[in-house]
Coordinates of all heavy atoms in Angstrom, one line a residue:
M19 N 82.2 -144.5 -9.0 CA 81.0 -145.0 -9.6 C 81.2 -145.7 -10.9 O 82.0 -145.2 -11.7 CB 80.0 -143.8 -9.8 CG 78.6 -144.2 -10.1 SD 77.5 -142.9 -10.6 CE 78.4 -141.4 -10.6
T20 N 80.5 -146.8 -11.1 CA 80.7 -147.5 -12.3 C 79.6 -147.2 -13.3 O 78.4 -147.3 -12.9 CB 80.7 -149.0 -12.1 OG1 81.8 -149.3 -11.2 CG2 80.9 -149.8 -13.4
I21 N 79.9 -146.8 -14.5 CA 79.0 -146.4 -15.5 C 79.2 -147.4 -16.7 O 80.4 -147.6 -17.1 CB 79.2 -145.0 -16.0 CG1 78.9 -144.0 -14.8 CG2 78.2 -144.7 -17.1 CD1 79.3 -142.6 -15.1
P22 N 78.2 -148.0 -17.2 CA 78.4 -149.0 -18.3 C 78.8 -148.3 -19.6 O 78.4 -147.2 -19.9 CB 77.0 -149.7 -18.4 CG 76.0 -148.7 -17.9 CD 76.8 -147.9 -16.8
R23 N 79.7 -149.0 -20.2 CA 80.2 -148.5 -21.6 C 79.1 -148.8 -22.6 O 78.4 -149.8 -22.4 CB 81.5 -149.2 -22.0 CG 82.7 -148.3 -21.7 CD 83.9 -149.1 -21.7 NE 84.3 -149.5 -23.0 CZ 85.5 -150.0 -23.3 NH1 86.4 -150.1 -22.3 NH2 85.8 -150.4 -24.5
L24 N 79.0 -148.0 -23.6 CA 78.1 -148.3 -24.7 C 78.5 -149.5 -25.4 O 79.7 -149.7 -25.6 CB 78.0 -147.1 -25.7 CG 77.5 -145.8 -25.2 CD1 77.5 -144.8 -26.3 CD2 76.1 -145.9 -24.7
T25 N 77.6 -150.4 -25.9 CA 77.9 -151.5 -26.8 C 78.3 -150.9 -28.1 O 78.0 -149.7 -28.4 CB 76.7 -152.4 -26.9 OG1 75.7 -151.7 -27.6 CG2 76.3 -153.0 -25.6
D26 N 78.9 -151.7 -29.0 CA 79.2 -151.2 -30.3 C 78.0 -150.7 -31.1 O 78.0 -149.7 -31.7 CB 79.9 -152.3 -31.2 CG 81.3 -152.6 -30.7 OD1 81.8 -151.9 -29.7 OD2 81.9 -153.5 -31.3
A27 N 76.9 -151.4 -30.9 CA 75.6 -151.0 -31.6 C 75.1 -149.7 -31.0 O 74.6 -148.8 -31.7 CB 74.6 -152.1 -31.4
E28 N 75.1 -149.6 -29.7 CA 74.7 -148.3 -29.0 C 75.6 -147.1 -29.4 O 75.1 -146.0 -29.7 CB 74.7 -148.5 -27.5 CG 73.6 -149.3 -26.9 CD 73.9 -149.7 -25.5 OE1 75.0 -149.6 -25.0 OE2 72.9 -150.1 -24.8
R29 N 76.9 -147.4 -29.5 CA 77.8 -146.3 -29.9 C 77.5 -145.9 -31.4 O 77.5 -144.7 -31.7 CB 79.2 -146.9 -29.9 CG 80.3 -145.9 -30.2 CD 81.6 -146.7 -30.4 NE 81.5 -147.5 -31.6 CZ 82.3 -148.5 -31.9 NH1 83.3 -148.9 -31.0 NH2 82.2 -149.2 -33.0
D30 N 77.3 -146.9 -32.3 CA 77.0 -146.5 -33.7 C 75.7 -145.7 -33.8 O 75.6 -144.8 -34.6 CB 76.9 -147.8 -34.5 CG 78.3 -148.4 -34.7 OD1 79.3 -147.8 -34.3 OD2 78.4 -149.6 -35.1
A31 N 74.7 -146.1 -33.0 CA 73.4 -145.4 -33.0 C 73.6 -144.0 -32.5 O 73.1 -143.0 -33.0 CB 72.4 -146.1 -32.1
A32 N 74.4 -143.8 -31.4 CA 74.6 -142.5 -30.8 C 75.3 -141.6 -31.8 O 75.0 -140.4 -32.0 CB 75.4 -142.6 -29.5
L33 N 76.3 -142.1 -32.5 CA 77.1 -141.4 -33.5 C 76.2 -141.0 -34.7 O 76.3 -139.9 -35.2 CB 78.3 -142.1 -34.0 CG 79.6 -141.9 -33.2 CD1 80.7 -142.9 -33.6 CD2 80.1 -140.4 -33.4
G34 N 75.3 -141.9 -35.0 CA 74.4 -141.7 -36.2 C 73.5 -140.5 -35.9 O 73.1 -139.8 -36.8
A35 N 73.2 -140.3 -34.6 CA 72.2 -139.3 -34.2 C 72.9 -137.9 -34.1 O 72.3 -136.9 -33.9 CB 71.5 -139.7 -32.9
L36 N 74.3 -137.9 -34.1 CA 75.0 -136.7 -33.9 C 75.6 -136.3 -35.2 O 75.9 -137.1 -36.0 CB 76.2 -136.9 -32.9 CG 75.8 -137.2 -31.5 CD1 77.0 -137.7 -30.7 CD2 75.3 -135.9 -30.8
S37 N 75.8 -135.0 -35.5 CA 76.5 -134.6 -36.7 C 77.8 -133.8 -36.3 O 77.7 -133.0 -35.4 CB 75.6 -133.8 -37.6 OG 75.1 -132.7 -37.0
G38 N 78.9 -134.1 -37.0 CA 80.1 -133.4 -36.7 C 81.0 -134.1 -35.7 O 82.2 -133.7 -35.6
W39 N 80.5 -135.0 -35.0 CA 81.3 -135.8 -34.0 C 81.9 -137.0 -34.6 O 81.2 -137.7 -35.3 CB 80.5 -136.1 -32.8 CG 80.0 -134.9 -32.0 CD1 78.9 -134.2 -32.2 CD2 80.7 -134.3 -30.8 NE1 78.8 -133.2 -31.3 CE2 79.9 -133.2 -30.4 CE3 81.8 -134.7 -30.1 CZ2 80.2 -132.4 -29.3 CZ3 82.2 -133.9 -29.0 CH2 81.4 -132.8 -28.7
T40 N 83.2 -137.2 -34.3 CA 83.8 -138.4 -34.9 C 84.4 -139.3 -33.8 O 84.7 -138.8 -32.7 CB 85.0 -138.0 -35.9 OG1 85.9 -137.2 -35.2 CG2 84.4 -137.3 -37.1
L41 N 84.4 -140.6 -34.1 CA 84.9 -141.5 -33.1 C 86.4 -141.5 -33.2 O 87.0 -141.6 -34.3 CB 84.4 -142.9 -33.5 CG 84.6 -144.1 -32.6 CD1 83.9 -143.8 -31.2 CD2 84.1 -145.4 -33.2
R42 N 87.1 -141.5 -32.0 CA 88.5 -141.6 -32.0 C 88.9 -143.0 -32.5 O 88.2 -143.9 -32.3 CB 89.0 -141.3 -30.6 CG 90.5 -140.9 -30.5 CD 90.8 -140.4 -29.1 NE 90.7 -141.4 -28.1 CZ 90.8 -141.2 -26.8 NH1 90.9 -140.0 -26.3 NH2 90.8 -142.2 -25.9
A43 N 90.2 -143.1 -33.0 CA 90.6 -144.3 -33.6 C 90.5 -145.5 -32.6 O 90.2 -146.6 -33.0 CB 92.1 -144.2 -34.0
D44 N 90.7 -145.3 -31.3 CA 90.6 -146.4 -30.4 C 89.2 -146.7 -30.0 O 88.9 -147.6 -29.2 CB 91.5 -146.1 -29.1 CG 91.0 -144.9 -28.3 OD1 89.9 -144.4 -28.6 OD2 91.8 -144.5 -27.4
G45 N 88.2 -145.9 -30.5 CA 86.8 -146.2 -30.2 C 86.3 -145.8 -28.8 O 85.2 -146.1 -28.4
L46 N 87.2 -145.1 -28.0 CA 86.9 -144.8 -26.6 C 86.5 -143.4 -26.4 O 86.2 -143.0 -25.2 CB 88.1 -145.2 -25.8 CG 88.6 -146.6 -25.8 CD1 89.8 -146.8 -24.9 CD2 87.5 -147.6 -25.4
A47 N 86.4 -142.6 -27.4 CA 86.0 -141.2 -27.2 C 85.5 -140.6 -28.5 O 85.7 -141.2 -29.6 CB 87.3 -140.4 -26.8
I48 N 84.7 -139.5 -28.4 CA 84.2 -138.8 -29.6 C 84.8 -137.4 -29.5 O 85.0 -136.8 -28.4 CB 82.7 -138.8 -29.7 CG1 82.0 -138.3 -28.4 CG2 82.2 -140.2 -30.1 CD1 80.5 -138.1 -28.6
S49 N 85.0 -136.8 -30.7 CA 85.6 -135.4 -30.8 C 84.9 -134.6 -31.8 O 84.3 -135.1 -32.8 CB 87.0 -135.5 -31.2 OG 87.8 -136.3 -30.3
R50 N 84.9 -133.3 -31.5 CA 84.4 -132.4 -32.5 C 85.2 -131.1 -32.4 O 85.5 -130.6 -31.3 CB 82.9 -132.1 -32.3 CG 82.4 -131.1 -33.4 CD 80.9 -131.0 -33.4 NE 80.5 -130.0 -34.4 CZ 79.3 -129.6 -34.7 NH1 78.2 -130.1 -34.1 NH2 79.1 -128.7 -35.6
D51 N 85.5 -130.5 -33.6 CA 86.2 -129.2 -33.6 C 85.2 -128.1 -33.9 O 84.4 -128.3 -34.8 CB 87.3 -129.2 -34.7 CG 88.4 -130.1 -34.4 OD1 88.7 -130.4 -33.2 OD2 89.0 -130.7 -35.3
F52 N 85.2 -127.0 -33.2 CA 84.3 -125.9 -33.4 C 85.1 -124.6 -33.8 O 86.2 -124.4 -33.3 CB 83.5 -125.6 -32.1 CG 82.7 -126.7 -31.6 CD1 83.3 -127.7 -30.8 CD2 81.4 -126.8 -32.0 CE1 82.5 -128.8 -30.3 CE2 80.6 -127.9 -31.5 CZ 81.2 -128.9 -30.7
R53 N 84.6 -123.8 -34.7 CA 85.2 -122.6 -35.0 C 84.3 -121.4 -34.9 O 83.1 -121.5 -35.3 CB 85.8 -122.7 -36.5 CG 86.9 -121.6 -36.8 CD 87.8 -122.1 -37.9 NE 88.6 -123.3 -37.5 CZ 89.7 -123.3 -36.8 NH1 90.2 -122.1 -36.4 NH2 90.4 -124.4 -36.6
F54 N 84.8 -120.3 -34.4 CA 83.9 -119.2 -34.1 C 84.5 -117.9 -34.8 O 85.6 -118.0 -35.4 CB 83.8 -118.9 -32.6 CG 83.1 -120.1 -31.9 CD1 83.9 -121.2 -31.4 CD2 81.8 -120.2 -31.9 CE1 83.3 -122.3 -30.8 CE2 81.1 -121.3 -31.3 CZ 81.9 -122.3 -30.8
A55 N 83.8 -116.8 -34.7 CA 84.3 -115.6 -35.4 C 85.6 -115.1 -34.8 O 86.5 -114.6 -35.5 CB 83.2 -114.5 -35.3
D56 N 85.7 -115.2 -33.5 CA 86.9 -114.7 -32.8 C 87.0 -115.4 -31.4 O 86.2 -116.2 -31.1 CB 86.8 -113.2 -32.7 CG 85.5 -112.7 -32.0 OD1 84.9 -113.5 -31.2 OD2 85.1 -111.6 -32.3
F57 N 88.0 -114.9 -30.7 CA 88.3 -115.6 -29.4 C 87.1 -115.3 -28.4 O 86.8 -116.2 -27.6 CB 89.6 -115.0 -28.8 CG 89.8 -115.5 -27.4 CD1 90.3 -116.8 -27.1 CD2 89.6 -114.7 -26.3 CE1 90.5 -117.2 -25.8 CE2 89.8 -115.1 -25.0 CZ 90.2 -116.4 -24.8
S58 N 86.6 -114.1 -28.5 CA 85.5 -113.8 -27.6 C 84.3 -114.8 -27.7 O 83.8 -115.3 -26.7 CB 85.0 -112.4 -27.8 OG 84.0 -112.0 -26.9
E59 N 84.0 -115.1 -28.9 CA 82.9 -116.0 -29.2 C 83.2 -117.4 -28.8 O 82.4 -118.2 -28.2 CB 82.4 -116.0 -30.6 CG 81.7 -114.7 -31.0 CD 80.8 -114.9 -32.2 OE1 80.5 -116.0 -32.6 OE2 80.3 -113.8 -32.6
A60 N 84.5 -117.8 -29.0 CA 84.9 -119.2 -28.7 C 84.9 -119.3 -27.1 O 84.4 -120.3 -26.6 CB 86.4 -119.4 -29.2
F61 N 85.4 -118.3 -26.4 CA 85.4 -118.4 -25.0 C 84.0 -118.3 -24.4 O 83.7 -119.0 -23.4 CB 86.3 -117.3 -24.4 CG 86.8 -117.7 -23.0 CD1 87.8 -118.6 -22.8 CD2 86.2 -117.2 -21.9 CE1 88.2 -119.0 -21.6 CE2 86.6 -117.6 -20.6 CZ 87.6 -118.5 -20.4
A62 N 83.1 -117.6 -25.0 CA 81.7 -117.5 -24.5 C 81.1 -118.9 -24.6 O 80.4 -119.4 -23.7 CB 80.9 -116.5 -25.3
F63 N 81.4 -119.6 -25.8 CA 80.9 -121.0 -25.9 C 81.5 -121.9 -24.9 O 80.8 -122.7 -24.2 CB 81.3 -121.4 -27.3 CG 81.1 -122.9 -27.6 CD1 79.9 -123.4 -27.8 CD2 82.2 -123.7 -27.7 CE1 79.7 -124.8 -28.1 CE2 82.1 -125.1 -28.0 CZ 80.8 -125.6 -28.1
M64 N 82.8 -121.7 -24.6 CA 83.4 -122.6 -23.6 C 82.8 -122.4 -22.2 O 82.6 -123.3 -21.4 CB 84.9 -122.3 -23.5 CG 85.7 -122.8 -24.8 SD 87.4 -122.3 -24.8 CE 88.0 -123.6 -23.7
T65 N 82.5 -121.1 -21.9 CA 81.8 -120.8 -20.6 C 80.5 -121.5 -20.5 O 80.1 -122.1 -19.5 CB 81.6 -119.3 -20.5 OG1 82.9 -118.7 -20.6 CG2 81.0 -118.9 -19.2
R66 N 79.7 -121.5 -21.6 CA 78.4 -122.2 -21.6 C 78.6 -123.7 -21.5 O 77.8 -124.4 -20.8 CB 77.6 -121.8 -22.8 CG 77.3 -120.3 -22.9 CD 76.7 -119.9 -24.2 NE 75.3 -120.2 -24.2 CZ 74.6 -120.4 -25.3 NH1 75.2 -120.2 -26.5 NH2 73.3 -120.7 -25.3
V67 N 79.6 -124.3 -22.2 CA 79.9 -125.7 -22.0 C 80.3 -126.0 -20.6 O 79.9 -127.1 -20.0 CB 81.0 -126.1 -23.1 CG1 81.4 -127.6 -22.8 CG2 80.4 -126.0 -24.5
A68 N 81.1 -125.1 -20.0 CA 81.6 -125.4 -18.6 C 80.4 -125.5 -17.7 O 80.3 -126.3 -16.8 CB 82.5 -124.3 -18.2
L69 N 79.4 -124.6 -17.9 CA 78.2 -124.6 -17.0 C 77.4 -125.9 -17.2 O 76.9 -126.5 -16.2 CB 77.3 -123.4 -17.3 CG 78.0 -122.0 -16.9 CD1 77.1 -120.9 -17.4 CD2 78.2 -121.9 -15.4
L70 N 77.3 -126.3 -18.5 CA 76.6 -127.6 -18.7 C 77.4 -128.7 -18.1 O 76.8 -129.7 -17.5 CB 76.7 -127.9 -20.3 CG 75.6 -127.3 -21.2 CD1 75.9 -127.9 -22.6 CD2 74.2 -127.8 -20.7
A71 N 78.7 -128.7 -18.2 CA 79.5 -129.8 -17.6 C 79.3 -129.9 -16.1 O 79.2 -131.0 -15.5 CB 81.0 -129.6 -18.0
E72 N 79.3 -128.8 -15.4 CA 79.1 -128.8 -14.0 C 77.7 -129.3 -13.6 O 77.6 -130.1 -12.7 CB 79.3 -127.4 -13.4 CG 80.8 -127.0 -13.2 CD 81.4 -127.9 -12.2 OE1 81.9 -129.0 -12.5 OE2 81.4 -127.5 -11.0
Q73 N 76.7 -128.8 -14.4 CA 75.4 -129.3 -14.1 C 75.3 -130.8 -14.3 O 74.6 -131.5 -13.5 CB 74.4 -128.7 -15.2 CG 73.7 -127.5 -14.7 CD 72.8 -126.9 -15.8 OE1 72.7 -127.4 -16.9 NE2 72.0 -126.0 -15.4
A74 N 75.9 -131.4 -15.3 CA 75.8 -132.8 -15.6 C 76.9 -133.6 -14.9 O 76.8 -134.8 -14.9 CB 76.0 -133.0 -17.1
D75 N 77.8 -132.9 -14.2 CA 79.0 -133.6 -13.6 C 79.6 -134.5 -14.6 O 80.0 -135.7 -14.3 CB 78.5 -134.4 -12.3 CG 79.7 -134.8 -11.5 OD1 80.8 -134.2 -11.6 OD2 79.6 -135.9 -10.8
H76 N 79.8 -133.9 -15.8 CA 80.5 -134.7 -16.9 C 81.3 -133.6 -17.6 O 80.8 -132.7 -18.2 CB 79.5 -135.3 -17.8 CG 80.1 -136.4 -18.6 ND1 80.7 -137.5 -18.1 CD2 80.2 -136.5 -20.0 CE1 81.2 -138.2 -19.1 NE2 80.9 -137.6 -20.3
H77 N 82.6 -133.9 -17.7 CA 83.5 -132.8 -18.1 C 84.3 -133.1 -19.3 O 84.8 -134.2 -19.5 CB 84.5 -132.5 -16.9 CG 83.8 -132.1 -15.7 ND1 83.3 -133.0 -14.7 CD2 83.4 -130.8 -15.2 CE1 82.6 -132.3 -13.8 NE2 82.7 -131.0 -14.1
P78 N 84.5 -132.1 -20.2 CA 85.1 -132.4 -21.5 C 86.7 -132.4 -21.3 O 87.2 -131.7 -20.4 CB 84.7 -131.2 -22.3 CG 84.5 -130.1 -21.3 CD 83.9 -130.8 -20.1
E79 N 87.3 -133.0 -22.2 CA 88.8 -132.8 -22.5 C 88.8 -131.9 -23.6 O 88.2 -132.2 -24.7 CB 89.5 -134.1 -22.8 CG 89.4 -135.1 -21.7 CD 89.9 -136.5 -22.1 OE1 90.6 -136.6 -23.1 OE2 89.6 -137.5 -21.3
W80 N 89.4 -130.7 -23.5 CA 89.3 -129.7 -24.6 C 90.5 -128.9 -24.7 O 91.4 -128.8 -23.8 CB 88.0 -128.9 -24.4 CG 87.8 -128.2 -23.1 CD1 88.7 -128.1 -22.1 CD2 86.7 -127.4 -22.8 NE1 88.1 -127.3 -21.1 CE2 86.9 -126.9 -21.5 CE3 85.5 -127.1 -23.4 CZ2 86.0 -126.1 -20.8 CZ3 84.5 -126.3 -22.7 CH2 84.8 -125.8 -21.5
S81 N 90.6 -128.2 -25.8 CA 91.6 -127.2 -26.0 C 91.1 -126.0 -26.8 O 90.1 -126.2 -27.6 CB 92.9 -127.8 -26.7 OG 92.6 -128.2 -28.0
N82 N 91.7 -124.9 -26.7 CA 91.3 -123.7 -27.4 C 92.5 -123.0 -28.0 O 93.5 -122.8 -27.3 CB 90.6 -122.8 -26.4 CG 90.6 -121.3 -26.8 OD1 91.1 -120.5 -26.2 ND2 89.9 -121.0 -27.9
V83 N 92.4 -122.7 -29.3 CA 93.4 -121.8 -29.9 C 92.7 -120.7 -30.6 O 92.0 -121.0 -31.6 CB 94.3 -122.6 -30.9 CG1 95.3 -121.6 -31.5 CG2 95.1 -123.7 -30.2
Y84 N 92.8 -119.5 -30.1 CA 92.1 -118.3 -30.7 C 90.6 -118.6 -30.9 O 89.9 -118.6 -29.9 CB 92.8 -117.8 -31.9 CG 92.1 -116.6 -32.6 CD1 91.7 -115.5 -31.9 CD2 91.9 -116.7 -34.0 CE1 91.1 -114.5 -32.5 CE2 91.2 -115.6 -34.6 CZ 90.8 -114.5 -33.8 OH 90.2 -113.5 -34.4
N85 N 90.2 -118.8 -32.1 CA 88.7 -118.9 -32.4 C 88.3 -120.4 -32.5 O 87.2 -120.6 -32.9 CB 88.3 -118.1 -33.6 CG 89.0 -118.6 -34.9 OD1 90.0 -119.3 -34.8 ND2 88.4 -118.3 -36.0
G86 N 89.2 -121.3 -32.2 CA 88.9 -122.7 -32.3 C 88.8 -123.4 -31.0 O 89.5 -123.1 -30.0
V87 N 87.8 -124.3 -30.9 CA 87.7 -125.1 -29.7 C 87.6 -126.6 -30.1 O 86.7 -126.9 -30.9 CB 86.4 -124.7 -28.9 CG1 86.3 -125.6 -27.6 CG2 86.4 -123.2 -28.5
S88 N 88.4 -127.4 -29.5 CA 88.4 -128.8 -29.8 C 87.9 -129.6 -28.5 O 88.5 -129.3 -27.5 CB 89.7 -129.4 -30.2 OG 90.1 -128.7 -31.4
I89 N 86.9 -130.4 -28.7 CA 86.3 -131.1 -27.5 C 86.4 -132.6 -27.7 O 86.0 -133.1 -28.8 CB 84.8 -130.6 -27.3 CG1 84.8 -129.1 -27.0 CG2 84.2 -131.4 -26.2 CD1 83.4 -128.6 -26.6
T90 N 86.8 -133.3 -26.7 CA 86.8 -134.7 -26.7 C 86.0 -135.2 -25.5 O 86.1 -134.6 -24.4 CB 88.2 -135.3 -26.6 OG1 88.9 -135.0 -27.8 CG2 88.2 -136.8 -26.4
L91 N 85.1 -136.1 -25.8 CA 84.2 -136.6 -24.7 C 84.5 -138.1 -24.5 O 84.5 -138.9 -25.4 CB 82.7 -136.4 -25.0 CG 82.3 -134.9 -25.2 CD1 80.9 -134.9 -25.7 CD2 82.4 -134.2 -23.9
T92 N 84.7 -138.5 -23.3 CA 84.8 -139.9 -22.9 C 84.4 -140.0 -21.4 O 84.4 -138.9 -20.7 CB 86.3 -140.4 -23.1 OG1 86.3 -141.8 -22.9 CG2 87.3 -139.7 -22.2
T93 N 84.1 -141.1 -21.0 CA 83.7 -141.3 -19.6 C 84.8 -142.1 -18.8 O 85.0 -143.3 -19.0 CB 82.4 -142.1 -19.5 OG1 81.4 -141.3 -20.2 CG2 81.9 -142.2 -18.0
H94 N 85.5 -141.3 -18.0 CA 86.7 -142.0 -17.3 C 86.2 -143.1 -16.4 O 86.8 -144.1 -16.3 CB 87.4 -140.9 -16.5 CG 87.8 -139.7 -17.3 ND1 87.2 -138.4 -17.1 CD2 88.5 -139.6 -18.4 CE1 87.7 -137.6 -18.0 NE2 88.5 -138.3 -18.8
D95 N 85.0 -142.9 -15.8 CA 84.5 -143.9 -14.9 C 84.1 -145.2 -15.6 O 83.8 -146.2 -15.0 CB 83.3 -143.3 -14.1 CG 83.6 -142.2 -13.2 OD1 84.9 -142.0 -12.9 OD2 82.8 -141.4 -12.8
A96 N 84.0 -145.1 -16.9 CA 83.6 -146.3 -17.7 C 84.7 -146.8 -18.5 O 84.6 -147.9 -19.1 CB 82.4 -145.9 -18.7
G97 N 85.8 -146.0 -18.6 CA 86.9 -146.4 -19.5 C 86.6 -146.4 -20.9 O 87.1 -147.2 -21.7
G98 N 85.7 -145.5 -21.3 CA 85.3 -145.4 -22.7 C 84.0 -144.6 -22.9 O 83.7 -143.8 -22.0
L99 N 83.3 -144.9 -23.9 CA 82.1 -144.1 -24.2 C 80.9 -144.6 -23.4 O 80.7 -145.8 -23.3 CB 81.7 -144.1 -25.7 CG 82.6 -143.3 -26.6 CD1 82.3 -143.6 -28.0 CD2 82.3 -141.8 -26.3
S100 N 80.1 -143.7 -22.8 CA 78.9 -144.0 -22.2 C 77.8 -143.1 -22.7 O 78.0 -142.2 -23.4 CB 79.0 -143.9 -20.6 OG 78.9 -142.5 -20.3
H101 N 76.6 -143.4 -22.2 CA 75.4 -142.5 -22.6 C 75.7 -141.1 -22.2 O 75.1 -140.2 -22.8 CB 74.1 -143.0 -22.0 CG 74.0 -142.8 -20.5 ND1 74.7 -143.6 -19.6 CD2 73.4 -141.8 -19.8 CE1 74.4 -143.1 -18.3 NE2 73.7 -142.0 -18.5
R102 N 76.5 -140.9 -21.2 CA 76.8 -139.5 -20.7 C 77.5 -138.7 -21.8 O 77.3 -137.5 -21.9 CB 77.6 -139.5 -19.4 CG 76.9 -140.3 -18.3 CD 77.8 -140.2 -17.0 NE 77.7 -138.9 -16.4 CZ 78.4 -138.6 -15.4 NH1 79.3 -139.4 -14.9 NH2 78.3 -137.4 -14.8
D103 N 78.3 -139.3 -22.6 CA 79.1 -138.6 -23.7 C 78.1 -138.2 -24.8 O 78.2 -137.1 -25.3 CB 80.2 -139.5 -24.2 CG 81.2 -139.9 -23.1 OD1 81.7 -139.0 -22.5 OD2 81.3 -141.1 -22.8
A104 N 77.2 -139.1 -25.1 CA 76.2 -138.8 -26.2 C 75.3 -137.7 -25.7 O 75.0 -136.8 -26.5 CB 75.4 -140.1 -26.5
A105 N 74.9 -137.7 -24.4 CA 74.0 -136.7 -23.9 C 74.7 -135.3 -23.9 O 74.1 -134.3 -24.2 CB 73.5 -137.1 -22.5
M106 N 76.0 -135.4 -23.5 CA 76.8 -134.1 -23.4 C 77.0 -133.6 -24.8 O 76.9 -132.3 -25.1 CB 78.1 -134.3 -22.7 CG 78.9 -133.1 -22.6 SD 78.2 -131.7 -21.7 CE 77.9 -132.5 -20.1
A107 N 77.3 -134.4 -25.8 CA 77.5 -134.0 -27.2 C 76.2 -133.3 -27.7 O 76.2 -132.2 -28.3 CB 77.9 -135.1 -28.1
E108 N 75.0 -133.9 -27.4 CA 73.8 -133.3 -27.9 C 73.5 -132.0 -27.2 O 73.1 -131.0 -27.8 CB 72.6 -134.3 -27.5 CG 72.5 -135.5 -28.4 CD 71.5 -136.5 -27.9 OE1 70.6 -136.1 -27.1 OE2 71.6 -137.7 -28.3
A109 N 73.8 -131.9 -25.9 CA 73.6 -130.7 -25.2 C 74.5 -129.6 -25.7 O 74.1 -128.4 -25.8 CB 73.8 -130.9 -23.7
I110 N 75.8 -129.9 -26.0 CA 76.7 -128.9 -26.6 C 76.2 -128.4 -27.9 O 76.2 -127.2 -28.2 CB 78.1 -129.6 -26.7 CG1 78.7 -129.7 -25.3 CG2 79.0 -128.7 -27.6 CD1 80.0 -130.6 -25.3
D111 N 75.7 -129.4 -28.8 CA 75.3 -129.0 -30.1 C 74.1 -128.1 -30.0 O 73.9 -127.2 -30.8 CB 74.9 -130.2 -30.9 CG 76.2 -130.9 -31.4 OD1 77.3 -130.4 -31.2 OD2 76.1 -132.0 -32.0
R112 N 73.2 -128.3 -28.9 CA 72.1 -127.4 -28.8 C 72.5 -125.9 -28.4 O 71.7 -125.0 -28.6 CB 71.1 -127.9 -27.7 CG 70.3 -129.1 -28.2 CD 69.1 -129.3 -27.2 NE 69.5 -129.8 -25.9 CZ 69.7 -131.1 -25.6 NH1 69.5 -132.0 -26.5 NH2 70.1 -131.5 -24.4
L113 N 73.7 -125.7 -28.0 CA 74.2 -124.4 -27.7 C 74.5 -123.6 -29.0 O 74.6 -122.4 -28.9 CB 75.5 -124.4 -26.9 CG 75.4 -125.0 -25.5 CD1 76.8 -125.0 -24.9 CD2 74.4 -124.2 -24.6
L114 N 74.7 -124.3 -30.1 CA 75.2 -123.6 -31.3 C 74.1 -122.8 -32.0 O 72.9 -123.2 -31.9 CB 75.7 -124.6 -32.3 CG 77.0 -125.4 -31.7 CD1 77.3 -126.5 -32.7 CD2 78.1 -124.5 -31.5
Ligands
H2B202 C1 83.0 -138.0 -8.9 C2 82.5 -137.5 -10.2 O1 81.1 -137.7 -10.3 C3 83.2 -138.1 -11.4 O2 84.6 -138.1 -11.2 C4 82.8 -137.6 -12.7 C5 83.2 -136.1 -12.9 N1 83.2 -135.8 -14.3 C6 83.5 -136.7 -15.3 N2 83.7 -136.4 -16.5 C7 84.0 -137.3 -17.4 N3 84.2 -136.9 -18.7 N4 84.1 -138.6 -17.1 C8 83.8 -139.0 -15.9 O3 83.9 -140.2 -15.7 C9 83.5 -138.1 -14.9 N5 83.3 -138.4 -13.7

């Protein structure tokens, strides 16, 4: 399935509406690092993100070390950022 990439203006608007997310140097992904009290809280968050991802059929690139979770969002089907990344970032932030 082909999904359109955000234009530079759309990307800047999307980033402006998010807090804590940064654009990767190549402009093709956004990332945010999360920190929790302990592993249990971090993994509970990951579980909730996983359920969101399945619902949206849009999946994060992520890693976890103890109480930290790093998430990168990009749209493989678009070869860069799409509205799906912005929507997923907003949905993830609403879990906090
Ligand atoms: C077939 C299925 O809809 C696609 O492969 C979905 C699944 N999850 C996805 N997740 C992400 N991050 N990008 C995609 O392009 C993507 N595509």
Side-chain angles (χ1 to χ4, degrees):
M19 192 191 356
T20 302
I21 299 171
R23 262 164 69 169
L24 297 180
T25 64
D26 287 0
E28 288 169 339
R29 181 194 68 199
D30 292 347
L33 268 170
L36 295 166
S37 55
W39 293 85
T40 57
L41 189 64
R42 201 168 67 189
D44 64 10
L46 300 179
I48 53 174
S49 302
R50 183 171 176 182
D51 296 329
F52 300 86
R53 197 156 295 278
F54 298 91
D56 52 26
F57 174 76
S58 180
E59 288 205 11
F61 200 79
F63 170 73
M64 293 176 78
T65 302
R66 298 173 77 202
V67 171
L69 294 172
L70 276 183
E72 278 295 90
Q73 267 182 350
D75 193 26
H76 196 62
H77 300 86
E79 298 173 14
W80 56 5
S81 64
N82 158 243
V83 178
Y84 177 47
N85 64 339
V87 179
S88 298
I89 297 183
T90 294
L91 298 173
T92 187
T93 301
H94 308 116
D95 297 343
L99 284 171
S100 77
H101 73 280
R102 301 181 76 189
D103 301 303
M106 181 58 60
E108 283 170 20
I110 289 170
D111 285 352
R112 280 196 294 271
L113 296 176
L114 298 172

